[in-house]
Amino acid sequence: MQYSTDHSKIYDDFMRDLRSDEYPTIWYPNEYNGESVICLGCSQHKGFISDKKQQELTQAWADYLSENTLPLKEVQVCTKLNQSVFDALCTQSSIESLRIKWFTGKDVSQIVRLKNLKKLFIESGLLIEDISAISMLKNLEVLILGETVKVEDYSCLSALSSLKVLGICAYQTHYDKKIKVKSTEFINVMNSLEYVDIQDTITEG
């Protein structure tokens, strides 16, 4: 098992693997044409639509994702992702790779519906309070959690028997304090791990 001393490796390897330069950005539901690899721009349209239209559009995405089964494999959410759109996105069980730039919700429990998920990167999850649902993703191979400062117990992740890469880091907003972790002992029993980045963490006590 290798421990990281450089954030860029885990970040760049993940992004390159997801072919970020090939992602078409989909801003409106009616622009989606059956692509399996997309960048979802479901919010932060301020500047060219009104706040009211922004709220309507966000709800439109939540409805569209909830009501349709899409052939999605790799998804990046390049804008803020609220709770309702996150929950709706989790109905798309075909997703294998998911990168969320900025999750503004608290609850990730619906992620258990993404049974085929192999890669998960939440760059900023400042409000997330419980990650136990992630531990049920038995096919997960890469997990990077950024700025999950309200979570202190990560021991549930030891259940991820297929996990090869683990990162608990500060990425999106460059959180300038160490992320408190109750213990890192759980890492020692994760025999499938090949690469770990926990240099932004500090163990309690």
Side-chain angles (χ1 to χ4, degrees), residues 58-59 61-62 65-66 81-89 103:
T58 301
Q59 186 59 52
W61 270 116
L65 290 165
S66 296
L81 181 68
N82 69 11
Q83 188 71 58
S84 62
V85 181
F86 173 84
D87 290 346
L89 188 60
F103 179 50

Side-chain angles (χ1 to χ4, degrees), residues 10-34:
I10 195 170
Y11 183 88
D12 292 345
D13 283 356
F14 188 95
M15 292 298 294
R16 183 165 55 251
D17 187 58
L18 289 181
R19 306 194 306 274
S20 60
D21 58 336
E22 299 179 16
Y23 277 60
T25 301
I26 311 296
W27 293 98
Y28 301 93
N30 62 6
E31 293 178 346
Y32 178 72
N33 293 310

Side-chain angles (χ1 to χ4, degrees), residues 31-44:
E31 293 178 346
Y32 178 72
N33 293 310
E35 297 90 346
S36 62
V37 178
I38 68 169
C39 181
L40 180 61
C42 54
S43 68
Q44 291 178 281

